Amino acid sequence: FTDTPMWNSLLSRKMWQFYLPSLPAEHPEYASLLLAPSLHDLPPAYVESAQYDCLHDEGNAYAQALRAAAPEILAANAVDLAAARESGMRDAMLDRLTLTEARIEAMAQGVEDVAAQRDPVGRVLSGETRPNGLKIEKVTVPMGVIGIIFEARPNVTVDAAALCLKSGNVCILRGGKEAIRSNRCVAELMREALRSVGLPEDCISLVQDTSHETANELMHLDGYVDVLIPRGGAGLIRRVLETATIPTIDIVQSAFTA
């Protein structure tokens, strides 16, 4: 039953309290049937091991934080919009940069939708057994550290972080200068959500310097970043594909370059 999206840490604690009522509530990670004084009177159980889903409780905590901090996010976004208008940003780009209460709610719902999906890590996609008995399987695994370069769309900060965490990856986010205040706000909310559930906040990192130099440096972090994903217009994607020395995914052409 652990494959169901409804399974979370709260249900886990309830199960352990049922089987081990003497277990200290503040230390659920120490739960083990071996801690029981006797196995004699324990109720029958179906035992199935499960991997840790990186975005069940964290995703719900983040979605709630986004909703609660809507006024703060809108205030930061208003400063970004004012600076963008002063610099002469086109209306189409201004619309992409703009956040509203409805768009923040859509962002929160998007995080909850991702969190509710089945854990993608550890799934067997295919397999075969060779004549000599050797069993070969194709299994989904995290990529590691994912760098994402994108333009003036604060919702991408939320979407990218949620997808990376759900798939068991760490992410380095480098957004455009036009949305830096909005991005800082929503990124810090997610880092706080990670801290609230006991995970390292640095699973999500936002590059604070939005100069071209930092983007170029991110494209050349061989040995530190495992894959780079550009998300934006054709010019941004072409520049990353031509410049980066680390493996890159072109999400438009669905191509991978190494």
Side-chain angles (χ1 to χ4, degrees), residues 144-148 157 160-162 164-165 169-173 190 202-206:
V145 178
I146 298 180
I148 303 177
T157 304
C164 286
L165 283 178
N169 296 288
V170 173
C171 63
I172 300 175
L173 307 173
M190 179 159 260
D202 288 333
C203 290
I204 299 171
S205 296
L206 176 71

Side-chain angles (χ1 to χ4, degrees), residues 66 69-81 98-104 182 185-186:
L66 282 172
E72 177 184 348
I73 297 171
L74 292 174
N77 186 243
V79 179
D80 283 335
L81 286 170
T98 301
L99 291 178
T100 63
E101 290 187 0
R103 288 183 176 182
I104 292 174
S182 305
C185 189
V186 295

Side-chain angles (χ1 to χ4, degrees), residues 13-21 42-44:
R13 290 188 180 93
K14 287 183 177 179
M15 288 294 293
W16 282 119
Q17 289 169 2
F18 178 71
Y19 285 100
L20 294 173
L42 288 178

